[in-house]
Amino acid sequence: MNVFINKNGVGDVLLVQLTTERPEQTEIETKGDITLIKSSQDGQAVALNVFNATQYVGEYADGSIELTPELVAKIQEALEKNGVSLELNVDFSPKFVVGHVVSKEKHPNADKLNICTVNVGSETLQIVCGAPNVESGQKVVVAKVGAVMPSGMIIRDAELRGVPSSGMICSAKELDLPDAPAEKGILVLAGDAEVGSAFTN
């Protein structure tokens, strides 16, 4: 679940993305201040808008809003006040974590891509990476599926040149770190970084 607000562009509306899936066709259902966006295929809610958001959740600066149990409780209450029957199930685990590159092999269909197996503590992910400096044994920053990058891009399950990829190994520039080097390459962390721990800049 990702939450955004853009008062300058959209107005006093909370934009809530419930899933990283993007259905081909959607249908809209509005009740009071809530608009649900549902997949036409299975009827699953993929996003919702909360109008007059300030009266429900208070004031927030424009941009991506940090997901907290308190914010989710306020959104759930807004749904109930407007007669919308939808239970919010939210994963509060960190989306930017320390990963350990267990293995690296060349992508069979792309010269500049590698297929990396990355241990992120709770699971092991397959991530296709195009950075020239990625190597097995490194500690790296992984943006897991559902992460919102500083650029606003949302990390989704993807397929790169026919190979599934779940997450992204990040560069300092992609993480918007101060003094990020201009040359291409992932951020390599110190060897004592704890695998699976949250990465905070």
XYZ file of all heavy atoms in Angstrom, residues 25-92:
517
model
N -8.129 -3.119 -17.425
C -9.379 -2.367 -17.386
C -9.836 -2.202 -15.945
O -9.705 -3.115 -15.135
C -10.465 -3.091 -18.190
C -10.188 -3.106 -19.689
C -11.351 -3.725 -20.456
O -11.838 -4.793 -20.086
N -11.789 -3.074 -21.509
N -10.371 -1.020 -15.652
C -10.837 -0.742 -14.294
C -12.253 -0.188 -14.331
O -12.736 0.285 -15.359
C -9.923 0.282 -13.583
O -9.870 1.486 -14.368
C -8.531 -0.267 -13.393
N -12.888 -0.250 -13.168
C -14.203 0.377 -13.014
C -14.186 1.212 -11.742
O -13.421 0.935 -10.807
C -15.311 -0.675 -12.971
C -15.074 -1.823 -12.009
C -16.006 -2.995 -12.255
O -16.126 -3.432 -13.414
O -16.593 -3.462 -11.265
N -15.000 2.231 -11.714
C -15.001 3.216 -10.630
C -16.287 3.091 -9.818
O -17.379 2.928 -10.374
C -14.910 4.652 -11.198
C -13.715 4.800 -12.149
C -14.845 5.680 -10.073
C -12.375 4.612 -11.523
N -16.146 3.174 -8.497
C -17.320 3.167 -7.609
C -17.121 4.266 -6.576
O -16.082 4.315 -5.905
C -17.420 1.805 -6.920
C -18.570 1.672 -5.940
C -18.544 0.333 -5.215
O -18.366 -0.707 -5.872
O -18.675 0.342 -3.964
N -18.088 5.157 -6.458
C -17.961 6.285 -5.531
C -19.049 6.238 -4.466
O -20.228 6.039 -4.779
C -18.028 7.627 -6.291
O -16.957 7.693 -7.232
C -17.897 8.800 -5.333
N -18.613 6.405 -3.209
C -19.534 6.526 -2.079
C -19.069 7.692 -1.226
O -17.983 7.630 -0.629
C -19.538 5.239 -1.245
C -20.331 4.095 -1.836
C -20.456 2.958 -0.829
C -21.331 1.830 -1.353
N -21.471 0.746 -0.355
N -19.850 8.751 -1.170
C -19.466 9.907 -0.377
C -18.135 10.473 -0.824
O -17.951 10.819 -2.000
N -17.187 10.541 0.098
C -15.859 11.087 -0.202
C -14.870 10.033 -0.684
O -13.678 10.328 -0.822
C -15.278 11.766 1.055
C -15.913 13.129 1.317
O -16.344 13.774 0.341
O -15.977 13.540 2.489
N -15.328 8.817 -0.906
C -14.423 7.731 -1.308
C -14.712 7.289 -2.741
O -15.856 7.020 -3.093
C -14.563 6.502 -0.385
C -14.394 6.898 1.093
C -13.563 5.412 -0.789
C -13.028 7.393 1.469
N -13.680 7.229 -3.543
C -13.785 6.625 -4.874
C -12.892 5.399 -4.908
O -11.691 5.497 -4.654
C -13.368 7.609 -5.979
O -14.301 8.692 -6.009
C -13.371 6.927 -7.338
N -13.493 4.241 -5.205
C -12.743 2.991 -5.335
C -12.447 2.729 -6.803
O -13.322 2.903 -7.657
C -13.553 1.817 -4.794
C -13.620 1.602 -3.278
C -14.501 0.396 -2.983
C -12.249 1.398 -2.684
N -11.223 2.330 -7.095
C -10.851 1.898 -8.441
C -10.655 0.388 -8.374
O -9.815 -0.096 -7.612
C -9.577 2.599 -8.937
C -9.804 4.113 -9.022
C -9.162 2.083 -10.314
C -9.307 4.897 -7.869
N -11.456 -0.345 -9.141
C -11.438 -1.806 -9.074
C -11.037 -2.404 -10.417
O -11.286 -1.818 -11.476
C -12.835 -2.342 -8.702
C -13.317 -1.943 -7.325
C -14.694 -2.547 -7.075
C -15.186 -2.287 -5.666
N -16.505 -2.916 -5.435
N -10.426 -3.579 -10.364
C -10.135 -4.334 -11.574
C -11.435 -4.850 -12.163
O -12.258 -5.442 -11.460
C -9.215 -5.512 -11.250
O -9.193 -6.437 -12.317
N -11.637 -4.607 -13.468
C -12.837 -5.102 -14.126
C -12.853 -6.631 -14.197
O -13.906 -7.251 -14.270
C -12.934 -4.538 -15.552
O -13.017 -3.140 -15.516
N -11.671 -7.222 -14.142
C -11.557 -8.670 -14.296
C -12.073 -9.430 -13.077
O -12.871 -10.343 -13.188
C -10.106 -9.047 -14.578
C -9.924 -10.509 -14.977
C -8.501 -10.800 -15.402
O -7.648 -9.939 -15.427
N -8.253 -12.059 -15.742
N -11.582 -9.018 -11.883
C -11.967 -9.778 -10.685
C -12.643 -8.937 -9.605
O -12.973 -9.447 -8.534
C -10.741 -10.485 -10.093
C -9.621 -9.521 -9.708
O -9.854 -8.293 -9.701
O -8.509 -10.002 -9.409
N -12.838 -7.649 -9.869
C -13.523 -6.798 -8.903
C -12.681 -6.381 -7.719
O -13.157 -5.728 -6.788
N -11.383 -6.738 -7.734
C -10.511 -6.400 -6.610
C -10.186 -4.910 -6.630
O -9.871 -4.337 -7.682
C -9.211 -7.201 -6.699
C -8.236 -6.889 -5.559
C -6.892 -7.572 -5.738
O -6.706 -8.362 -6.644
N -5.944 -7.248 -4.878
N -10.253 -4.268 -5.450
C -9.885 -2.863 -5.335
C -8.375 -2.717 -5.488
O -7.611 -3.377 -4.787
C -10.338 -2.309 -3.986
N -7.945 -1.891 -6.431
C -6.515 -1.686 -6.668
C -6.044 -0.322 -6.170
O -4.851 -0.107 -5.944
C -6.162 -1.858 -8.165
C -6.409 -3.288 -8.612
C -6.936 -0.886 -9.045
N -6.994 0.604 -5.992
C -6.642 1.937 -5.505
C -7.899 2.606 -4.973
O -9.025 2.157 -5.238
C -6.023 2.777 -6.624
N -7.698 3.679 -4.216
C -8.834 4.472 -3.772
C -8.396 5.915 -3.579
O -7.222 6.201 -3.346
C -9.461 3.898 -2.498
C -8.640 3.842 -1.211
C -8.813 5.113 -0.378
C -9.071 2.645 -0.374
N -9.369 6.816 -3.713
C -9.134 8.235 -3.471
C -10.015 8.674 -2.308
O -11.198 8.326 -2.263
C -9.471 9.078 -4.704
C -8.583 8.737 -5.895
O -7.476 8.257 -5.725
N -9.074 9.000 -7.088
N -9.428 9.425 -1.378
C -10.184 9.993 -0.268
C -10.264 11.498 -0.506
O -9.256 12.207 -0.410
C -9.507 9.706 1.086
C -10.337 10.296 2.229
C -9.294 8.206 1.293
N -11.456 11.984 -0.853
C -11.654 13.414 -1.076
C -11.863 14.117 0.266
O -12.235 13.484 1.249
C -12.847 13.641 -2.004
C -12.585 13.167 -3.425
C -12.807 11.834 -3.773
C -12.089 14.036 -4.375
C -12.558 11.382 -5.061
C -11.827 13.594 -5.670
C -12.057 12.271 -6.013
N -11.601 15.431 0.288
C -11.628 16.190 1.552
C -10.744 15.493 2.583
O -11.112 15.311 3.743
C -13.059 16.339 2.080
C -13.963 17.051 1.079
O -13.630 18.143 0.621
N -15.078 16.439 0.726
N -9.552 15.102 2.125
C -8.671 14.244 2.924
C -8.284 14.846 4.260
O -8.164 14.134 5.260
C -7.413 13.913 2.110
N -8.100 16.162 4.299
C -7.627 16.810 5.523
C -8.547 16.526 6.700
O -8.087 16.309 7.824
C -7.506 18.333 5.308
O -6.673 18.570 4.171
C -6.891 19.009 6.512
N -9.862 16.499 6.458
C -10.792 16.276 7.578
C -10.725 14.850 8.120
O -11.141 14.580 9.234
C -12.215 16.630 7.163
C -12.862 15.619 6.250
C -14.289 16.021 5.884
O -14.547 17.154 5.503
N -15.220 15.082 6.012
N -10.151 13.942 7.330
C -10.046 12.548 7.763
C -8.668 12.210 8.337
O -8.562 11.475 9.318
C -10.329 11.596 6.597
C -11.739 11.663 6.083
C -12.017 12.280 4.870
C -12.804 11.113 6.798
C -13.320 12.344 4.378
C -14.105 11.177 6.322
C -14.361 11.790 5.111
O -15.641 11.849 4.637
N -7.599 12.715 7.704
C -6.244 12.292 8.106
C -5.366 13.437 8.591
O -4.246 13.201 9.043
C -5.531 11.556 6.942
C -6.324 10.332 6.518
C -5.284 12.482 5.755
N -5.850 14.685 8.492
C -5.035 15.822 8.909
C -4.166 16.336 7.766
O -4.325 15.940 6.611
N -3.236 17.216 8.104
C -2.393 17.882 7.104
C -1.125 17.081 6.813
O -0.475 16.578 7.732
C -1.982 19.278 7.599
C -3.117 20.277 7.644
C -3.479 20.813 6.265
O -2.730 20.545 5.298
O -4.507 21.505 6.162
N -0.793 16.978 5.530
C 0.465 16.367 5.094
C 1.057 17.202 3.976
O 0.315 17.813 3.196
C 0.242 14.931 4.587
C 0.011 13.917 5.672
C -1.272 13.575 6.070
C 1.089 13.290 6.300
C -1.491 12.639 7.070
C 0.878 12.342 7.300
C -0.413 12.028 7.671
O -0.622 11.099 8.662
N 2.378 17.203 3.896
C 3.045 17.866 2.781
C 2.861 17.042 1.519
O 2.664 15.819 1.581
C 4.540 18.031 3.077
N 2.917 17.714 0.363
C 2.779 17.015 -0.913
C 3.850 15.953 -1.078
O 4.984 16.115 -0.633
C 2.880 18.011 -2.079
C 1.542 18.700 -2.360
O 0.631 18.567 -1.532
O 1.431 19.369 -3.400
N 3.473 14.854 -1.741
C 4.425 13.789 -2.018
C 3.964 12.468 -1.430
O 2.802 12.298 -1.040
N 4.916 11.537 -1.345
C 4.639 10.229 -0.765
C 4.570 10.368 0.748
O 5.389 11.051 1.361
C 5.753 9.252 -1.161
O 5.539 7.996 -0.576
N 3.592 9.725 1.364
C 3.392 9.824 2.814
C 3.819 8.521 3.470
O 3.467 7.436 3.002
C 1.911 10.117 3.142
C 1.486 11.431 2.493
C 1.683 10.159 4.638
C 0.001 11.725 2.629
N 4.583 8.646 4.549
C 5.042 7.449 5.261
C 3.843 6.687 5.813
O 2.945 7.252 6.440
C 5.980 7.840 6.405
C 6.509 6.632 7.171
C 7.322 7.031 8.388
O 7.554 8.233 8.608
O 7.719 6.113 9.136
N 3.861 5.395 5.570
C 2.770 4.537 6.011
C 2.961 4.186 7.484
O 3.983 3.627 7.864
C 2.764 3.262 5.161
C 1.438 2.544 4.955
C 0.381 3.476 4.393
C 1.643 1.358 4.043
N 1.995 4.527 8.310
C 2.035 4.199 9.733
C 0.713 3.535 10.114
O -0.315 3.730 9.438
C 2.213 5.461 10.596
O 1.053 6.307 10.410
C 3.476 6.233 10.214
N 0.710 2.771 11.211
C -0.564 2.197 11.675
C -1.619 3.270 11.942
O -2.805 3.050 11.699
C -0.168 1.459 12.959
C 1.280 1.115 12.760
C 1.856 2.272 11.996
N -1.174 4.447 12.427
C -2.118 5.536 12.732
C -2.791 6.040 11.459
O -4.013 6.251 11.420
C -1.393 6.693 13.430
C -0.882 6.383 14.820
C 0.383 5.523 14.843
O 1.089 5.452 13.805
O 0.668 4.914 15.890
N -1.994 6.222 10.390
C -2.551 6.706 9.124
C -3.526 5.679 8.545
O -4.617 6.032 8.084
C -1.433 7.007 8.124
C -1.884 7.413 6.718
C -2.726 8.685 6.758
C -0.682 7.608 5.793
N -3.143 4.410 8.578
C -4.016 3.362 8.039
C -5.329 3.316 8.828
O -6.404 3.154 8.247
C -3.301 1.993 8.070
C -4.268 0.872 7.690
C -2.114 1.998 7.116
N -5.245 3.488 10.144
C -6.464 3.483 10.973
C -7.389 4.638 10.579
O -8.613 4.477 10.528
C -6.092 3.575 12.447
N -6.801 5.797 10.266
C -7.612 6.958 9.858
C -8.270 6.713 8.502
O -9.428 7.093 8.286
C -6.740 8.216 9.815
C -6.337 8.732 11.180
C -5.423 9.943 11.053
C -4.985 10.461 12.417
N -4.045 11.600 12.284
N -7.522 6.084 7.570
C -8.101 5.784 6.261
C -9.212 4.748 6.410
O -10.274 4.855 5.791
C -7.016 5.282 5.285
C -5.978 6.386 5.042
C -7.640 4.850 3.959
C -4.752 5.920 4.262
N -8.983 3.739 7.254
C -10.009 2.717 7.505
C -11.268 3.362 8.080
O -12.397 3.032 7.689
C -9.467 1.657 8.466
C -10.386 0.464 8.668
C -10.454 -0.438 7.439
O -9.460 -1.013 7.043
N -11.632 -0.550 6.833
N -11.077 4.313 8.983
C -12.216 5.011 9.588
C -12.961 5.837 8.538
O -14.202 5.893 8.538
C -11.715 5.920 10.718
C -12.833 6.543 11.532
C -12.318 7.382 12.693
O -11.095 7.353 12.969
O -13.145 8.073 13.303
N -12.202 6.451 7.619
C -12.826 7.228 6.538
C -13.684 6.325 5.653
O -14.793 6.699 5.235
C -11.756 7.933 5.706
N -13.188 5.123 5.374
C -13.960 4.167 4.578
C -15.269 3.826 5.277
O -16.344 3.829 4.664
C -13.133 2.892 4.349
C -11.882 2.993 3.474
C -11.113 1.677 3.495
C -12.235 3.377 2.049
N -15.180 3.536 6.565
C -16.371 3.137 7.323
C -17.386 4.278 7.414
O -18.596 4.063 7.277
C -15.950 2.661 8.716
C -15.181 1.336 8.668
C -14.432 1.014 9.961
O -14.582 1.776 10.948
O -13.687 0.013 9.973
N -16.883 5.515 7.596
C -17.782 6.678 7.686
C -18.549 6.888 6.389
O -19.658 7.429 6.395
C -16.980 7.944 8.016
C -16.598 8.077 9.477
C -15.863 9.379 9.726
C -15.519 9.536 11.205
N -14.730 10.778 11.458
N -17.948 6.471 5.272
C -18.581 6.662 3.970
C -19.271 5.390 3.458
O -19.666 5.326 2.292
C -17.543 7.144 2.951
C -17.160 8.602 3.163
O -17.840 9.508 2.681
N -16.077 8.841 3.902
N -19.404 4.402 4.333
C -20.144 3.196 3.990
C -19.447 2.283 3.007
O -20.106 1.533 2.269
N -18.113 2.335 2.990
C -17.350 1.484 2.076
C -16.855 0.259 2.844
O -16.143 0.384 3.843
C -16.151 2.244 1.466
C -15.307 1.311 0.601
C -16.640 3.433 0.653
N -17.220 -0.908 2.363
C -16.825 -2.161 3.021
C -15.527 -2.667 2.397
O -15.546 -3.352 1.375
C -17.942 -3.198 2.875
O -17.551 -4.412 3.472
N -14.412 -2.289 3.004
C -13.099 -2.712 2.517
C -12.135 -2.766 3.688
O -11.956 -1.772 4.399
C -12.582 -1.734 1.458
C -11.184 -2.009 0.895
C -11.164 -3.303 0.081
C -10.694 -0.840 0.036
N -11.549 -3.928 3.910
C -10.589 -4.106 5.005
C -9.181 -3.871 4.463
O -8.756 -4.507 3.505
C -10.697 -5.523 5.572
C -9.900 -5.738 6.848
C -10.501 -5.041 8.062
O -11.733 -4.879 8.113
O -9.726 -4.659 8.950
N -8.461 -2.943 5.064
C -7.100 -2.635 4.628
C -6.109 -3.584 5.303
O -5.982 -3.582 6.528
C -6.743 -1.180 4.971
C -7.612 -0.101 4.316
C -7.213 1.278 4.829
C -7.504 -0.164 2.801
N -5.444 -4.403 4.511
C -4.404 -5.293 5.024
C -3.062 -4.733 4.575
O -2.759 -4.733 3.371
C -4.598 -6.715 4.488
C -5.886 -7.323 4.992
O -6.154 -7.304 6.188
N -6.701 -7.838 4.090
N -2.278 -4.272 5.520
C -1.082 -3.500 5.181
C 0.182 -4.177 5.696
O 0.243 -4.644 6.833
C -1.183 -2.071 5.775
C 0.031 -1.250 5.408
C -2.450 -1.396 5.273
N 1.177 -4.214 4.841
C 2.497 -4.738 5.192
C 3.381 -3.560 5.613
O 3.716 -2.707 4.801
C 3.091 -5.451 3.964
C 4.531 -5.900 4.179
O 4.990 -5.881 5.337
O 5.184 -6.249 3.186
N 3.727 -3.512 6.900
C 4.530 -2.404 7.419
C 6.038 -2.699 7.414
O 6.828 -1.913 7.907
C 4.101 -2.048 8.852
C 2.743 -1.411 8.929
C 1.649 -2.128 9.381
C 2.554 -0.097 8.540
C 0.391 -1.555 9.451
C 1.298 0.497 8.603
C 0.222 -0.239 9.058
